[in-house]
Amino acid sequence: MASGSSRNIGAIVLFGPPGAGKGTQAKRISSYFGAPQISTGDILRESFRHGSELGIEAHSYMSRGELAPDSLVCRLVQQRLRQPDCQRGFILDGFPRTPSQAGWLDALLEDKIFENLRPGAALPIVIQIDVDYTELLRRLTGRRTCPSCGRIYNVYLQPPRVDELCDVDGSKLVIRNDDREDVITARLKAYDQQTRPVATYYRSKGKLYLVNGERPVDQVTRDIFAIIIHPPDTRTIPWGL
Ligand code: AP5
């Protein structure tokens, strides 16, 4: 994808259930607009691989498909957002996931270190990627990831050119630990019970934008880019449709 723009994209939140395509789309936004992708799932998995105390604590929740505690995740996000590369904007992938995380993020964005973000708009732009339950199961059970470059594939929907090998660097693709069926069920339940209310929170603030995530990846990307470049007035969006 051609590289984008030196635009200040502000704070973008990609919101949606496990398997909706948040990670896939976050990488595309990141490479086009030159803003970092901040995936709390990736940060937690990386912390666990490095044997950090927070990573080990989070791992026990992740392996059961439960959410890690708000305080732990917020601490990691705060550290990451204070890095200089976040000054012109960033893409949050998988955060916030509870109303309490959302309130915490809004308060943090008022901090003066973010004053260069999208002028006059402290709140993030929240893009909800909508996908039906059956399709989510197919996406999660078919997902494969490159352990070297992080590229995401799907054996049913977006297979690599050579079976089980990354197109970019030839690494052997891996299956995520939490993509087992019993854990997937628990993750979807956590989404329904704890994460869905975050959409209501941002809708009430006029900051939620809905995208149909069931279409091909390029079409979803096109819709998301259009929202980032010209966020429509949410008061004109028919939410019931
Ligand atoms: P996390 O790593 O964030 O996982 P998740 O939210 O469950 O989301 P996924 O990464 O599974 O899916 P995705 O939406 O990114 O989809 P993807 O692009 O890969 O979190 C893991 C765990 O960490 C949580 O369970 C929790 O324990 C903990 N955690 C993380 N954040 C936390 C927080 N804030 N608070 C507390 N705990 C937290 O795509 C999926 C598949 O579909 C791929 O195979 C892809 O190729 C395919 N695909 C994508 N788009 C399309 C398309 N349009 N058409 C066809 N196929 C597609």
Side-chain angles (χ1 to χ4, degrees):
M1 186 171 302
S3 150
S5 101
S6 54
R7 175 186 298 271
N8 172 347
I9 62 166
I12 306 291
V13 170
L14 290 187
F15 180 83
K22 302 182 296 296
T24 301
Q25 297 298 336
K27 286 181 180 28
R28 288 171 163 227
I29 304 169
S30 173
S31 88
Y32 187 80
F33 291 102
Q37 170 194 10
I38 301 175
S39 155
T40 39
D42 286 349
I43 294 175
L44 293 170
R45 282 184 286 276
E46 191 65 15
S47 308
F48 176 70
R49 266 195 296 277
H50 287 130
S52 87
E53 217 174 288
L54 288 185
I56 292 166
E57 185 186 345
H59 183 74
S60 61
Y61 294 93
M62 294 169 82
S63 59
R64 293 192 297 269
E66 295 169 12
L67 296 186
D70 288 341
S71 56
L72 183 159
V73 181
C74 291
R75 216 175 326 151
L76 288 172
V77 171
Q78 180 160 25
Q79 279 168 14
R80 182 61 188 87
L81 290 184
R82 288 186 185 277
Q83 303 295 316
D85 63 337
C86 295
Q87 281 293 305
R88 282 186 42 253
F90 46 84
I91 306 123
L92 286 166
D93 158 12
F95 184 94
R97 247 173 158 104
T98 62
S100 141
Q101 290 179 12
W104 176 90
L105 176 66
D106 288 355
L108 186 79
L109 290 177
E110 282 169 14
D111 192 312
K112 69 173 175 28
I113 65 160
F114 293 115
E115 63 197 10
N116 292 330
L117 288 180
R118 195 183 284 268
L123 287 172
I125 288 180
V126 182
I127 301 172
Q128 177 172 4
I129 307 177
D130 237 20
V131 176
D132 154 270
Y133 185 86
T134 313
E135 174 69 7
L136 291 175
L137 286 181
R138 199 158 71 116
R139 289 190 184 181
L140 291 168
T141 51
R143 174 166 52 194
R144 303 288 183 275
T145 311
C146 174
S148 312
C149 71
R151 182 150 175 189
I152 304 168
Y153 298 86
N154 192 288
V155 292
Y156 310 120
L157 306 158
Q158 293 178 299
R161 283 194 291 271
V162 179
D163 239 15
E164 301 296 333
L165 297 183
C166 178
D167 292 350
V168 180
D169 54 35
S171 302
K172 174 119 179 63
L173 303 179
V174 295
I175 301 179
R176 246 168 65 172
N177 278 339
D178 58 352
D179 279 347
R180 299 194 325 263
E181 262 182 65
D182 54 328
V183 185
I184 290 173
T185 308
R187 286 163 63 200
L188 291 170
K189 190 167 156 206
Y191 175 78
D192 271 336
Q193 295 182 343
Q194 294 168 272
T195 305
R196 262 189 209 285
V198 174
T200 314
Y201 173 88
Y202 282 117
R203 187 177 304 162
S204 72
K205 292 176 178 282
K207 286 292 172 187
L208 188 75
Y209 300 88
L210 207 58
V211 162
N212 175 359
E214 296 202 359
R215 288 162 319 135
V217 174
D218 285 349
Q219 287 182 27
V220 179
T221 306
R222 223 169 290 140
D223 284 1
I224 292 177
F225 281 17
I227 292 169
I228 293 174
I229 294 167
H230 291 299
D233 183 345
T234 51
R235 286 168 302 189
T236 63
I237 296 176
W239 286 109
L241 299 179

